[in-house]
Amino acid sequence: MTLATRQLCVFLLIIFSLPLVHAIGISPPSMEVMFQPSLEADGELTLLAMGNSFGAKISVQGELEKYITTDQSFVNVPPEGMKLAYHIRLPESMRPGNYKTYIVAEQSAVQQSSGPGKAPFGAVSAIGMPIYIIVQAQDNYADISMDRPGNV
């Protein structure tokens, strides 16, 4: 195969692949929550379709997934995007530390009757919004200062 033929094949592959490319977005990119006992909070994120509508499976994944829920487990995102509500219900107490949990939107695989996309496997796009929950220690701390004799 000559170099020109190889370049033509690569060019055609890129051109024919363009309609198969989809992009999804999420806003805000992340959220931070300071722990408060029995905190209940509602939030909203925006799923962005970047020009093409798509179906998406919604899930919560991570360390505190049992405390974060969404209203829907599957959504159809129109080209202009859509809002998705989520709810945070934290327990009475937690160990100090930083916890990360994601709300994930995974684009549904589109199977076509013929041509590319007909196979039962392939790549799908997914995006997640991390929710950081920060639990500070409630212990008493000693206040220490250091002085050197003769300091002015």
Side-chain angles (χ1 to χ4, degrees), residues 70-133:
T70 60
D71 288 342
Q72 301 168 317
S73 60
F74 187 87
V75 295
N76 288 306
V77 182
E80 63 274 6
M82 66 169 290
K83 305 271 186 200
L84 177 71
Y86 61 90
H87 315 285
I88 300 173
R89 287 179 180 71
L90 297 178
E92 185 67 33
S93 65
M94 292 177 66
R95 286 194 343 243
N98 297 329
Y99 300 88
K100 186 183 345 181
T101 303
Y102 292 90
I103 297 177
V104 177
E106 181 180 324
Q107 186 175 8
S108 298
V110 177
Q111 290 196 356
Q112 301 174 7
S113 59
S114 65
K118 185 177 180 185
F121 58 89
V124 294
S125 299
I127 192 166
M129 180 187 79
I131 299 176
Y132 301 98
I133 298 177

Short mmCIF file of all heavy atoms in Angstrom, two decimals, residues 70-133:
data_model
loop_
_atom_site.label_atom_id
_atom_site.label_comp_id
_atom_site.label_asym_id
_atom_site.label_seq_id
_atom_site.Cartn_x
_atom_site.Cartn_y
_atom_site.Cartn_z
N THR A 70 -30.91 10.42 43.23
CA THR A 70 -31.42 11.26 42.14
C THR A 70 -32.88 10.89 41.89
O THR A 70 -33.32 9.80 42.26
CB THR A 70 -30.61 11.05 40.84
OG1 THR A 70 -30.71 9.69 40.45
CG2 THR A 70 -29.15 11.44 41.03
N ASP A 71 -33.60 11.80 41.26
CA ASP A 71 -35.02 11.56 40.98
C ASP A 71 -35.23 10.51 39.89
O ASP A 71 -36.25 9.85 39.86
CB ASP A 71 -35.71 12.85 40.55
CG ASP A 71 -35.89 13.82 41.71
OD1 ASP A 71 -35.80 13.39 42.86
OD2 ASP A 71 -36.11 15.01 41.44
N GLN A 72 -34.27 10.40 38.98
CA GLN A 72 -34.44 9.54 37.81
C GLN A 72 -33.22 8.65 37.63
O GLN A 72 -32.10 9.06 37.90
CB GLN A 72 -34.66 10.39 36.55
CG GLN A 72 -35.88 11.30 36.66
CD GLN A 72 -35.90 12.32 35.54
OE1 GLN A 72 -34.89 12.91 35.22
NE2 GLN A 72 -37.07 12.53 34.97
N SER A 73 -33.46 7.43 37.12
CA SER A 73 -32.35 6.53 36.83
C SER A 73 -32.03 6.49 35.34
O SER A 73 -30.99 5.99 34.95
CB SER A 73 -32.65 5.13 37.34
OG SER A 73 -33.81 4.62 36.70
N PHE A 74 -32.92 7.03 34.51
CA PHE A 74 -32.68 7.15 33.07
C PHE A 74 -33.34 8.43 32.59
O PHE A 74 -34.46 8.74 32.97
CB PHE A 74 -33.27 5.95 32.30
CG PHE A 74 -32.88 5.96 30.84
CD1 PHE A 74 -31.70 5.38 30.42
CD2 PHE A 74 -33.69 6.58 29.90
CE1 PHE A 74 -31.33 5.41 29.09
CE2 PHE A 74 -33.32 6.61 28.57
CZ PHE A 74 -32.14 6.02 28.16
N VAL A 75 -32.62 9.18 31.75
CA VAL A 75 -33.15 10.43 31.21
C VAL A 75 -32.87 10.51 29.72
O VAL A 75 -31.92 9.90 29.21
CB VAL A 75 -32.54 11.68 31.90
CG1 VAL A 75 -32.95 11.75 33.36
CG2 VAL A 75 -31.04 11.72 31.76
N ASN A 76 -33.72 11.23 29.02
CA ASN A 76 -33.49 11.58 27.62
C ASN A 76 -33.08 13.04 27.60
O ASN A 76 -33.88 13.91 27.95
CB ASN A 76 -34.74 11.35 26.77
CG ASN A 76 -35.00 9.87 26.58
OD1 ASN A 76 -34.13 9.14 26.13
ND2 ASN A 76 -36.21 9.44 26.92
N VAL A 77 -31.84 13.30 27.22
CA VAL A 77 -31.29 14.66 27.25
C VAL A 77 -31.50 15.30 25.89
O VAL A 77 -30.95 14.81 24.89
CB VAL A 77 -29.80 14.65 27.62
CG1 VAL A 77 -29.26 16.06 27.70
CG2 VAL A 77 -29.58 13.91 28.93
N PRO A 78 -32.28 16.39 25.81
CA PRO A 78 -32.49 17.07 24.53
C PRO A 78 -31.24 17.85 24.12
O PRO A 78 -30.34 18.05 24.94
CB PRO A 78 -33.67 18.00 24.82
CG PRO A 78 -33.61 18.26 26.28
CD PRO A 78 -33.05 17.00 26.89
N PRO A 79 -31.17 18.32 22.87
CA PRO A 79 -29.97 19.04 22.40
C PRO A 79 -29.61 20.26 23.26
O PRO A 79 -28.44 20.60 23.38
CB PRO A 79 -30.34 19.47 20.98
CG PRO A 79 -31.38 18.50 20.55
CD PRO A 79 -32.12 18.12 21.79
N GLU A 80 -30.59 20.90 23.86
CA GLU A 80 -30.32 22.09 24.68
C GLU A 80 -29.92 21.75 26.11
O GLU A 80 -29.63 22.63 26.91
CB GLU A 80 -31.51 23.05 24.68
CG GLU A 80 -32.78 22.49 25.29
CD GLU A 80 -33.65 21.70 24.32
OE1 GLU A 80 -33.24 21.47 23.16
OE2 GLU A 80 -34.75 21.30 24.74
N GLY A 81 -29.90 20.46 26.47
CA GLY A 81 -29.52 20.06 27.81
C GLY A 81 -30.73 19.99 28.74
O GLY A 81 -31.85 20.31 28.35
N MET A 82 -30.48 19.57 29.98
CA MET A 82 -31.59 19.47 30.95
C MET A 82 -31.05 19.51 32.37
O MET A 82 -29.87 19.31 32.62
CB MET A 82 -32.36 18.17 30.73
CG MET A 82 -31.56 16.92 31.04
SD MET A 82 -32.52 15.41 31.09
CE MET A 82 -33.47 15.63 32.58
N LYS A 83 -31.94 19.79 33.31
CA LYS A 83 -31.62 19.82 34.73
C LYS A 83 -31.95 18.47 35.35
O LYS A 83 -32.90 17.81 34.96
CB LYS A 83 -32.41 20.91 35.44
CG LYS A 83 -32.27 22.29 34.85
CD LYS A 83 -31.13 23.00 35.47
CE LYS A 83 -31.10 24.44 34.96
NZ LYS A 83 -29.83 25.04 35.13
N LEU A 84 -31.14 18.08 36.34
CA LEU A 84 -31.37 16.83 37.08
C LEU A 84 -31.23 17.14 38.56
O LEU A 84 -30.22 17.70 38.99
CB LEU A 84 -30.35 15.77 36.66
CG LEU A 84 -30.44 14.44 37.40
CD1 LEU A 84 -31.70 13.68 36.97
CD2 LEU A 84 -29.22 13.60 37.13
N ALA A 85 -32.26 16.79 39.32
CA ALA A 85 -32.25 17.05 40.77
C ALA A 85 -31.60 15.89 41.51
O ALA A 85 -31.71 14.73 41.10
CB ALA A 85 -33.67 17.25 41.28
N TYR A 86 -30.89 16.22 42.59
CA TYR A 86 -30.33 15.19 43.47
C TYR A 86 -30.55 15.62 44.92
O TYR A 86 -30.81 16.78 45.22
CB TYR A 86 -28.85 14.94 43.19
CG TYR A 86 -27.95 16.13 43.39
CD1 TYR A 86 -27.35 16.39 44.62
CD2 TYR A 86 -27.68 17.01 42.34
CE1 TYR A 86 -26.52 17.49 44.81
CE2 TYR A 86 -26.85 18.10 42.52
CZ TYR A 86 -26.28 18.33 43.75
OH TYR A 86 -25.47 19.42 43.93
N HIS A 87 -30.49 14.64 45.80
CA HIS A 87 -30.78 14.87 47.21
C HIS A 87 -29.66 14.26 48.06
O HIS A 87 -29.21 13.15 47.80
CB HIS A 87 -32.12 14.23 47.60
CG HIS A 87 -33.20 14.49 46.60
ND1 HIS A 87 -33.83 15.71 46.49
CD2 HIS A 87 -33.72 13.72 45.62
CE1 HIS A 87 -34.71 15.65 45.50
NE2 HIS A 87 -34.66 14.46 44.97
N ILE A 88 -29.25 15.01 49.08
CA ILE A 88 -28.22 14.54 50.01
C ILE A 88 -28.86 14.45 51.39
O ILE A 88 -29.45 15.42 51.87
CB ILE A 88 -27.03 15.52 50.06
CG1 ILE A 88 -26.38 15.64 48.68
CG2 ILE A 88 -26.00 15.06 51.09
CD1 ILE A 88 -25.31 16.71 48.59
N ARG A 89 -28.77 13.28 52.01
CA ARG A 89 -29.27 13.06 53.36
C ARG A 89 -28.18 12.35 54.15
O ARG A 89 -28.01 11.13 54.02
CB ARG A 89 -30.57 12.25 53.33
CG ARG A 89 -31.73 13.08 52.81
CD ARG A 89 -33.03 12.31 52.74
NE ARG A 89 -34.11 13.12 52.23
CZ ARG A 89 -34.24 13.54 50.97
NH1 ARG A 89 -33.34 13.23 50.09
NH2 ARG A 89 -35.27 14.27 50.59
N LEU A 90 -27.46 13.12 54.95
CA LEU A 90 -26.31 12.58 55.68
C LEU A 90 -26.73 12.01 57.03
O LEU A 90 -27.74 12.43 57.59
CB LEU A 90 -25.25 13.66 55.86
CG LEU A 90 -24.64 14.20 54.57
CD1 LEU A 90 -23.64 15.31 54.87
CD2 LEU A 90 -23.98 13.10 53.77
N PRO A 91 -25.95 11.08 57.57
CA PRO A 91 -26.28 10.49 58.87
C PRO A 91 -25.99 11.44 60.03
O PRO A 91 -25.46 12.53 59.83
CB PRO A 91 -25.38 9.26 58.93
CG PRO A 91 -24.20 9.63 58.10
CD PRO A 91 -24.75 10.49 57.00
N GLU A 92 -26.32 10.99 61.22
CA GLU A 92 -26.10 11.78 62.43
C GLU A 92 -24.61 11.99 62.71
O GLU A 92 -24.21 13.05 63.19
CB GLU A 92 -26.77 11.07 63.62
CG GLU A 92 -26.72 11.82 64.93
CD GLU A 92 -27.54 13.11 64.93
OE1 GLU A 92 -28.58 13.16 64.26
OE2 GLU A 92 -27.12 14.07 65.59
N SER A 93 -23.78 10.99 62.41
CA SER A 93 -22.35 11.14 62.67
C SER A 93 -21.56 10.37 61.61
O SER A 93 -22.06 9.41 61.03
CB SER A 93 -21.99 10.63 64.06
OG SER A 93 -22.23 9.24 64.15
N MET A 94 -20.32 10.82 61.40
CA MET A 94 -19.40 10.17 60.46
C MET A 94 -17.99 10.32 60.98
O MET A 94 -17.70 11.27 61.71
CB MET A 94 -19.49 10.82 59.07
CG MET A 94 -20.80 10.58 58.35
SD MET A 94 -20.88 11.45 56.77
CE MET A 94 -19.61 10.62 55.85
N ARG A 95 -17.11 9.40 60.60
CA ARG A 95 -15.71 9.52 60.95
C ARG A 95 -15.11 10.71 60.21
O ARG A 95 -15.46 10.97 59.06
CB ARG A 95 -14.96 8.26 60.56
CG ARG A 95 -15.23 7.09 61.47
CD ARG A 95 -14.24 5.95 61.29
NE ARG A 95 -13.49 5.98 60.06
CZ ARG A 95 -13.56 5.06 59.11
NH1 ARG A 95 -14.34 4.03 59.25
NH2 ARG A 95 -12.82 5.15 58.03
N PRO A 96 -14.19 11.44 60.83
CA PRO A 96 -13.53 12.56 60.14
C PRO A 96 -12.80 12.08 58.89
O PRO A 96 -12.27 10.97 58.84
CB PRO A 96 -12.54 13.09 61.17
CG PRO A 96 -13.10 12.66 62.49
CD PRO A 96 -13.77 11.34 62.23
N GLY A 97 -12.82 12.92 57.87
CA GLY A 97 -12.13 12.59 56.62
C GLY A 97 -12.78 13.28 55.45
O GLY A 97 -13.76 14.02 55.59
N ASN A 98 -12.23 13.05 54.28
CA ASN A 98 -12.76 13.58 53.03
C ASN A 98 -13.33 12.42 52.23
O ASN A 98 -12.64 11.44 51.99
CB ASN A 98 -11.67 14.30 52.24
CG ASN A 98 -11.13 15.50 52.97
OD1 ASN A 98 -11.84 16.15 53.72
ND2 ASN A 98 -9.87 15.81 52.77
N TYR A 99 -14.58 12.54 51.82
CA TYR A 99 -15.27 11.49 51.09
C TYR A 99 -15.65 12.00 49.70
O TYR A 99 -16.01 13.17 49.55
CB TYR A 99 -16.53 11.05 51.84
CG TYR A 99 -16.25 10.52 53.23
CD1 TYR A 99 -16.20 11.37 54.33
CD2 TYR A 99 -16.02 9.17 53.43
CE1 TYR A 99 -15.94 10.88 55.60
CE2 TYR A 99 -15.77 8.66 54.69
CZ TYR A 99 -15.73 9.53 55.77
OH TYR A 99 -15.47 9.04 57.03
N LYS A 100 -15.57 11.11 48.72
CA LYS A 100 -15.90 11.50 47.34
C LYS A 100 -16.92 10.52 46.77
O LYS A 100 -16.73 9.31 46.83
CB LYS A 100 -14.65 11.51 46.48
CG LYS A 100 -14.90 12.03 45.09
CD LYS A 100 -13.73 12.02 44.12
CE LYS A 100 -12.37 11.83 44.64
NZ LYS A 100 -11.33 11.86 43.60
N THR A 101 -18.00 11.07 46.23
CA THR A 101 -19.04 10.28 45.58
C THR A 101 -19.40 10.97 44.28
O THR A 101 -19.39 12.20 44.21
CB THR A 101 -20.27 10.16 46.50
OG1 THR A 101 -19.86 9.57 47.75
CG2 THR A 101 -21.35 9.30 45.89
N TYR A 102 -19.70 10.20 43.25
CA TYR A 102 -20.01 10.76 41.93
C TYR A 102 -21.47 10.56 41.56
O TYR A 102 -22.03 9.48 41.81
CB TYR A 102 -19.18 10.07 40.84
CG TYR A 102 -17.71 10.35 40.91
CD1 TYR A 102 -16.86 9.55 41.67
CD2 TYR A 102 -17.16 11.41 40.21
CE1 TYR A 102 -15.51 9.79 41.72
CE2 TYR A 102 -15.80 11.67 40.26
CZ TYR A 102 -14.98 10.86 41.02
OH TYR A 102 -13.63 11.11 41.07
N ILE A 103 -22.06 11.55 40.92
CA ILE A 103 -23.31 11.36 40.18
C ILE A 103 -22.87 11.19 38.73
O ILE A 103 -22.24 12.09 38.16
CB ILE A 103 -24.26 12.55 40.34
CG1 ILE A 103 -24.68 12.69 41.80
CG2 ILE A 103 -25.49 12.36 39.43
CD1 ILE A 103 -25.57 13.88 42.09
N VAL A 104 -23.17 10.02 38.15
CA VAL A 104 -22.65 9.66 36.83
C VAL A 104 -23.78 9.60 35.81
O VAL A 104 -24.84 9.03 36.08
CB VAL A 104 -21.93 8.29 36.88
CG1 VAL A 104 -21.44 7.86 35.52
CG2 VAL A 104 -20.79 8.33 37.88
N ALA A 105 -23.53 10.20 34.64
CA ALA A 105 -24.43 10.08 33.50
C ALA A 105 -23.69 9.30 32.43
O ALA A 105 -22.66 9.74 31.93
CB ALA A 105 -24.83 11.46 32.98
N GLU A 106 -24.20 8.12 32.10
CA GLU A 106 -23.58 7.26 31.09
C GLU A 106 -24.47 7.21 29.86
O GLU A 106 -25.63 6.78 29.93
CB GLU A 106 -23.38 5.85 31.64
CG GLU A 106 -22.72 4.91 30.67
CD GLU A 106 -22.54 3.53 31.25
OE1 GLU A 106 -22.26 3.42 32.47
OE2 GLU A 106 -22.69 2.56 30.49
N GLN A 107 -23.93 7.67 28.75
CA GLN A 107 -24.69 7.72 27.51
C GLN A 107 -25.07 6.32 27.08
O GLN A 107 -24.25 5.39 27.12
CB GLN A 107 -23.87 8.41 26.44
CG GLN A 107 -24.61 8.65 25.15
CD GLN A 107 -23.78 9.44 24.16
OE1 GLN A 107 -22.61 9.69 24.39
NE2 GLN A 107 -24.38 9.84 23.09
N SER A 108 -26.31 6.14 26.66
CA SER A 108 -26.77 4.83 26.19
C SER A 108 -26.14 4.52 24.85
O SER A 108 -26.01 5.39 23.99
CB SER A 108 -28.29 4.82 26.02
OG SER A 108 -28.90 5.05 27.25
N ALA A 109 -25.76 3.27 24.66
CA ALA A 109 -25.21 2.83 23.38
C ALA A 109 -26.34 2.81 22.36
O ALA A 109 -27.42 2.31 22.62
CB ALA A 109 -24.59 1.46 23.51
N VAL A 110 -26.09 3.39 21.21
CA VAL A 110 -27.08 3.42 20.13
C VAL A 110 -26.73 2.31 19.15
O VAL A 110 -25.63 2.29 18.60
CB VAL A 110 -27.07 4.79 19.42
CG1 VAL A 110 -28.04 4.79 18.26
CG2 VAL A 110 -27.38 5.89 20.40
N GLN A 111 -27.66 1.38 18.96
CA GLN A 111 -27.43 0.32 17.99
C GLN A 111 -28.23 0.61 16.73
O GLN A 111 -29.42 0.89 16.80
CB GLN A 111 -27.82 -1.03 18.57
CG GLN A 111 -26.88 -1.47 19.66
CD GLN A 111 -27.02 -2.94 19.96
OE1 GLN A 111 -27.87 -3.62 19.41
NE2 GLN A 111 -26.17 -3.43 20.83
N GLN A 112 -27.54 0.58 15.62
CA GLN A 112 -28.17 0.84 14.34
C GLN A 112 -28.47 -0.47 13.64
O GLN A 112 -27.90 -1.51 13.96
CB GLN A 112 -27.25 1.72 13.50
CG GLN A 112 -26.94 3.04 14.18
CD GLN A 112 -25.92 3.86 13.41
OE1 GLN A 112 -25.54 3.50 12.31
NE2 GLN A 112 -25.47 4.94 14.00
N SER A 113 -29.37 -0.43 12.64
CA SER A 113 -29.74 -1.65 11.94
C SER A 113 -28.67 -2.13 10.98
O SER A 113 -28.62 -3.30 10.63
CB SER A 113 -31.07 -1.44 11.20
OG SER A 113 -30.92 -0.37 10.28
N SER A 114 -27.82 -1.21 10.51
CA SER A 114 -26.73 -1.62 9.62
C SER A 114 -25.58 -0.65 9.75
O SER A 114 -25.74 0.48 10.23
CB SER A 114 -27.22 -1.66 8.17
OG SER A 114 -27.55 -0.35 7.74
N GLY A 115 -24.42 -1.09 9.35
CA GLY A 115 -23.24 -0.22 9.36
C GLY A 115 -22.63 -0.11 10.74
O GLY A 115 -22.89 -0.92 11.62
N PRO A 116 -21.82 0.93 10.95
CA PRO A 116 -21.17 1.12 12.25
C PRO A 116 -22.21 1.25 13.36
O PRO A 116 -23.25 1.88 13.19
CB PRO A 116 -20.38 2.41 12.09
CG PRO A 116 -20.24 2.60 10.63
CD PRO A 116 -21.43 1.96 10.00
N GLY A 117 -21.96 0.64 14.48
CA GLY A 117 -22.90 0.71 15.60
C GLY A 117 -23.81 -0.50 15.67
O GLY A 117 -24.62 -0.62 16.57
N LYS A 118 -23.73 -1.41 14.70
CA LYS A 118 -24.60 -2.58 14.70
C LYS A 118 -24.13 -3.62 15.70
O LYS A 118 -24.90 -4.39 16.23
CB LYS A 118 -24.67 -3.19 13.31
CG LYS A 118 -25.65 -4.34 13.22
CD LYS A 118 -25.76 -4.87 11.83
CE LYS A 118 -26.74 -6.03 11.81
NZ LYS A 118 -26.81 -6.66 10.53
N ALA A 119 -22.85 -3.64 15.97
CA ALA A 119 -22.29 -4.62 16.88
C ALA A 119 -22.84 -4.41 18.29
O ALA A 119 -23.14 -3.29 18.68
CB ALA A 119 -20.77 -4.52 16.89
N PRO A 120 -22.97 -5.49 19.09
CA PRO A 120 -23.52 -5.35 20.44
C PRO A 120 -22.51 -4.81 21.45
O PRO A 120 -22.75 -4.83 22.63
CB PRO A 120 -23.90 -6.79 20.79
CG PRO A 120 -22.98 -7.62 19.99
CD PRO A 120 -22.75 -6.87 18.71
N PHE A 121 -21.36 -4.36 21.00
CA PHE A 121 -20.37 -3.78 21.90
C PHE A 121 -19.81 -2.51 21.27
O PHE A 121 -19.99 -2.26 20.10
CB PHE A 121 -19.23 -4.77 22.18
CG PHE A 121 -18.53 -5.22 20.93
CD1 PHE A 121 -17.45 -4.51 20.44
CD2 PHE A 121 -18.96 -6.35 20.25
CE1 PHE A 121 -16.82 -4.91 19.28
CE2 PHE A 121 -18.32 -6.76 19.10
CZ PHE A 121 -17.24 -6.04 18.60
N GLY A 122 -19.18 -1.70 22.07
CA GLY A 122 -18.60 -0.46 21.58
C GLY A 122 -18.35 0.48 22.74
O GLY A 122 -18.59 0.15 23.89
N ALA A 123 -17.89 1.65 22.41
CA ALA A 123 -17.57 2.65 23.44
C ALA A 123 -18.78 3.54 23.71
O ALA A 123 -19.55 3.83 22.80
CB ALA A 123 -16.39 3.50 22.99
N VAL A 124 -18.95 3.93 24.94
CA VAL A 124 -19.98 4.89 25.31
C VAL A 124 -19.32 6.00 26.12
O VAL A 124 -18.29 5.80 26.76
CB VAL A 124 -21.13 4.26 26.13
CG1 VAL A 124 -21.92 3.27 25.30
CG2 VAL A 124 -20.62 3.61 27.39
N SER A 125 -19.93 7.16 26.08
CA SER A 125 -19.42 8.30 26.84
C SER A 125 -20.07 8.31 28.22
O SER A 125 -21.24 7.97 28.37
CB SER A 125 -19.75 9.61 26.13
OG SER A 125 -19.16 9.64 24.86
N ALA A 126 -19.31 8.72 29.20
CA ALA A 126 -19.84 8.87 30.56
C ALA A 126 -19.13 10.06 31.21
O ALA A 126 -17.98 10.35 30.89
CB ALA A 126 -19.63 7.62 31.39
N ILE A 127 -19.84 10.72 32.09
CA ILE A 127 -19.26 11.85 32.81
C ILE A 127 -19.83 11.83 34.22
O ILE A 127 -20.97 11.41 34.43
CB ILE A 127 -19.54 13.19 32.09
CG1 ILE A 127 -18.71 14.30 32.69
CG2 ILE A 127 -21.02 13.53 32.10
CD1 ILE A 127 -18.65 15.55 31.85
N GLY A 128 -19.04 12.27 35.17
CA GLY A 128 -19.49 12.29 36.56
C GLY A 128 -19.20 13.61 37.23
O GLY A 128 -18.21 14.27 36.93
N MET A 129 -20.09 14.00 38.13
CA MET A 129 -19.87 15.18 38.95
C MET A 129 -19.49 14.71 40.34
O MET A 129 -20.29 14.07 41.03
CB MET A 129 -21.13 16.04 39.05
CG MET A 129 -20.90 17.29 39.90
SD MET A 129 -22.38 18.26 40.25
CE MET A 129 -23.12 17.31 41.56
N PRO A 130 -18.25 14.97 40.77
CA PRO A 130 -17.87 14.55 42.11
C PRO A 130 -18.49 15.45 43.18
O PRO A 130 -18.55 16.67 43.02
CB PRO A 130 -16.35 14.66 42.12
CG PRO A 130 -16.02 15.63 41.04
CD PRO A 130 -17.14 15.55 40.04
N ILE A 131 -18.98 14.82 44.22
CA ILE A 131 -19.46 15.55 45.41
C ILE A 131 -18.50 15.20 46.53
O ILE A 131 -18.36 14.04 46.91
CB ILE A 131 -20.90 15.15 45.77
CG1 ILE A 131 -21.85 15.49 44.61
CG2 ILE A 131 -21.34 15.83 47.06
CD1 ILE A 131 -23.27 15.05 44.83
N TYR A 132 -17.80 16.21 47.03
CA TYR A 132 -16.84 16.04 48.11
C TYR A 132 -17.53 16.37 49.43
O TYR A 132 -18.06 17.47 49.59
CB TYR A 132 -15.63 16.96 47.93
CG TYR A 132 -14.89 16.73 46.64
CD1 TYR A 132 -15.12 17.54 45.54
CD2 TYR A 132 -13.97 15.70 46.52
CE1 TYR A 132 -14.45 17.33 44.34
CE2 TYR A 132 -13.29 15.49 45.34
CZ TYR A 132 -13.53 16.30 44.25
OH TYR A 132 -12.87 16.10 43.07
N ILE A 133 -17.53 15.43 50.36
CA ILE A 133 -18.11 15.66 51.68
C ILE A 133 -16.96 15.66 52.67
O ILE A 133 -16.22 14.68 52.78
CB ILE A 133 -19.18 14.62 52.01
CG1 ILE A 133 -20.32 14.75 50.98
CG2 ILE A 133 -19.69 14.80 53.44
CD1 ILE A 133 -21.42 13.77 51.11
#
